[in-house]
Amino acid sequence: MKLSRWLPCLDWGRRYDRASATQDGLAALIVTLMLIPQSLAYAMLAGLPPVTGLYASILPLLAYALFGSSRTLAVGPVAVVSLMTAAALAPLFPAGSAEYIGAAMLLALLSGLLLAAMALLRLGFLANFLSHPVVSGFISASGILIAVGQLKHLLGVSASGESLRQILPQLWQSLPMMHWQTLLIGLLSLAWLWWARGRLKPLLQRLGLSAPMAGNLAKAGPVLAIVVAIVAVSLLQLDQAGVKVVGAIPQGLPGLTLPTLDLGLALQLLPAALLISLVGFVESISVGQTLAAKRRQRIEPDNELLGLGAANLSSAFSGGFPVTGGFARSVVNHDAGAQTPMAGVFTAAGIALSVMLLTPLLHNLPQAVLAATIIVAVLSLVDLGSLRRTWRYSRQDGAAQLATILGVLLIGVEAGILLGVGLSLLLFLWRTSQPHMAVVGQVPGSEHFRNVERFAVIESPSVLSLRVDESLYFPNARYLEDRIGELIANRPLVRHLVLMCSGVNLIDASALDSLEAIVERLRTAGVQLHLSEVKGPVMDQLRRSSFLDDFGGQVFISQFQALQTLAPQAAQQPLEHDRQRADAQPHSEGKIL
């Protein structure tokens, strides 16, 4: 196996030049300015000291650059994973305590090990169990839950909980104790960040700046809010007036340290680590594939698993917490012109310099400003309109999405996503347990067969053609038996039943037993079973059993051939121009494909 298979950096590293370094450096500068306030804010969201957010933005970026396949994905703390971290740890330890920090590192370790194991075993398909409606509902509900949870920092009150049922009553009861200076700082920060998000770039362009430069400066809006807030608190001594600030932040790079190695705690955190791994991978791979497609690049899911696994392991050993690829930062990184993962390396260097030089200046940073940063960031993730669109298209998917949203908001993060995934799988099994089956007939003058209820077609009284539009497996095997029994009972003249298998991609052992039972029942009724348009892989599977030797019927390459053979008097020949067109097409060798 080539080493570059697991180390994509060997591929792009050979072609790395000064021009790429310049573009990566510029992108890193912009992402660093964006990542500093986000790292501090998301650490606070996770219930950790703010500096851990900076720690989680150094070594994980270096590790991903080695193993990740995306050229522009920006790895680090993200809102949803931070919320899931808090949800997993809050019931166990006091937020911010040494035990809590150690457990967060252990959670990152478990997540890293799970992701790396999934990469080596090529189990990326497990993320497919998180359907898009469920993920969309989970992210939207998480955004709402995060935003509501941060209101306590804007109001300067205390409130906690894992759901709206717990948080909202506490916020309501705490309103009389609201701290007006904190509220003013929070509201001003919210107003500035919201305005800067949509209006700052056009204003800078009107002042004469180019569109790229204006966009890059607009991304630094949170940094300006932090600077102004720190200056205001320092000059007016608002911290002594009751405004809660970040406080002392350790200066210097994190040392390598072991997470809490407690087997009992690890087993307790394992389900949460698995959910964090899957959600983080789905979010990361979605962003990575979207951005890669814009440059006609491609990413490897197994490499992404390994890259994210290495990033989380690095975070675990450097005092951090679970990380993944962030949507907003990755888009900024892409738009700023990042060419390779070296942009992440440069970003890590920028964060490291900040930890060494700037942390003393953050002492008077109000927590309300970080809360405002989180609220503005997560509300952009909320898309409740998706629920309406999904419901209109598929009520089953809409039900799963709605269950996820309500579960996250009213019960909790982990329970919500498990509820959505479980309901999705149950609805899938229910839907496929009653597959669409259509009695078909020949379209006059052609070799095509269509549903008798939708088209004017020709049927043979002695041949029943039944098209099955679903794979045959254990949930629908009995339904197939019942449906065939009903159709035969209502058609006394039928002597042949042809199962048209163009939509069948699988016949499992349960369905094979049902087919054998159907053959016996049909024989007692004087009807012979036949198959048509069986796909190659399904035919290969049937050949590994004795079914084809025992069922007594034939396997036809097309439904038209079946009707020609079994009821030649009923088969209508295609029109002359259709025959000429068919004759002009290259013919196969008779293989079933």
Side-chain angles (χ1 to χ4, degrees), residues 411-470:
I411 304 175
V413 177
E414 295 179 2
I417 194 168
L418 288 175
L419 181 63
V421 172
L423 186 57
S424 290
L425 293 177
L426 285 176
L427 289 173
F428 170 78
L429 291 175
W430 176 80
R431 183 169 60 242
T432 56
S433 70
Q434 301 181 41
H436 181 259
M437 298 183 188
V439 176
V440 297
Q442 185 184 6
V443 177
S446 75
E447 296 184 7
H448 301 294
F449 285 75
R450 293 293 184 267
N451 192 335
V452 298
E453 297 180 0
R454 294 177 179 268
F455 295 86
V457 294
I458 299 170
E459 289 186 84
S460 167
S462 63
V463 178
L464 174 62
S465 300
L466 181 64
R467 191 186 69 216
V468 182
D469 296 330
E470 183 64 71

Side-chain angles (χ1 to χ4, degrees), residues 76-99:
V78 299
V80 173
V81 171
S82 298
L83 175 64
M84 296 179 74
T85 299
L89 302 182
L92 303 178
F93 306 104
S97 64
E99 294 84 0

Side-chain angles (χ1 to χ4, degrees), residues 478-518:
R478 184 61 58 85
Y479 182 82
L480 176 66
E481 296 181 37
D482 295 341
R483 178 64 173 150
I484 289 177
E486 177 187 355
L487 290 172
I488 293 299
N490 294 330
R491 289 169 169 79
L493 298 180
V494 168
R495 292 295 174 261
H496 300 278
L497 169 65
V498 183
L499 277 186
M500 188 175 175
C501 300
S502 54
V504 177
N505 298 312
L506 167 73
I507 298 177
D508 74 354
S510 298
L512 183 64
D513 289 341
S514 290
L515 286 177
E516 292 172 346
I518 289 169

Side-chain angles (χ1 to χ4, degrees), residues 102-334:
M105 295 166 61
L106 177 59
L107 194 59
L109 176 65
L110 292 173
S111 180
L113 291 174
L114 287 171
L115 287 164
M118 288 169 63
L120 296 176
L121 297 175
R122 300 190 177 186
L123 297 180
F125 69 89
L126 291 176
N128 296 335
F129 290 108
L130 296 175
S131 67
H132 179 74
V134 168
V135 172
S136 175
F138 173 72
I139 291 176
S140 293
S142 297
I144 295 172
L145 189 61
I146 290 169
V148 173
Q150 293 305 302
L151 292 179
K152 62 183 180 183
H153 297 296
L154 293 185
L155 300 173
V157 299
S158 297
S160 60
E162 298 181 7
S163 67
L164 294 185
R165 293 187 303 111
Q166 298 170 341
I167 298 173
L168 288 177
Q170 294 184 45
L171 286 174
W172 179 257
Q173 295 170 6
S174 301
L175 282 179
M177 296 174 284
M178 180 176 57
H179 192 262
W180 71 267
Q181 293 100 327
T182 301
L183 178 61
L184 181 61
I185 291 174
L187 291 179
L188 289 175
S189 300
L190 268 178
W192 161 253
L193 293 172
W194 202 265
W195 181 86
R197 193 178 190 90
R199 303 292 181 84
L200 184 55
K201 179 180 176 180
L203 176 62
L204 294 175
Q205 286 183 270
R206 287 196 296 271
L207 294 176
L209 295 180
S210 64
M213 179 63 71
N216 293 335
L217 288 177
K219 299 295 190 303
V223 176
L224 182 58
I226 286 176
V227 172
V228 172
I230 291 175
V231 171
V233 170
S234 301
L235 293 178
L236 302 177
Q237 297 183 338
L238 295 177
D239 56 326
Q240 298 180 16
V243 174
K244 294 182 180 180
V245 296
V246 169
I249 298 179
Q251 188 174 8
L253 295 175
L256 294 179
T257 181
L258 284 175
T260 300
L261 299 179
D262 183 332
L263 182 59
L265 180 60
L267 293 176
Q268 195 171 0
L269 293 178
L270 191 59
L274 179 59
L275 280 179
I276 288 173
S277 300
L278 291 176
V279 170
F281 174 61
V282 169
E283 182 176 355
S284 180
I285 200 79
S286 300
V287 177
Q289 288 176 337
T290 300
L291 297 180
K294 292 183 178 181
R295 296 183 180 177
R296 298 192 178 185
Q297 298 169 348
R298 62 188 302 268
I299 62 176
E300 294 291 341
D302 291 336
N303 284 113
E304 289 305 292
L305 284 169
L306 187 58
L308 293 175
N312 278 280
L313 290 174
S314 301
S315 185
F317 290 106
S318 59
F321 57 101
V323 297
T324 192
F327 176 76
R329 287 196 303 273
S330 298
V331 172
V332 171
N333 196 40
H334 177 276

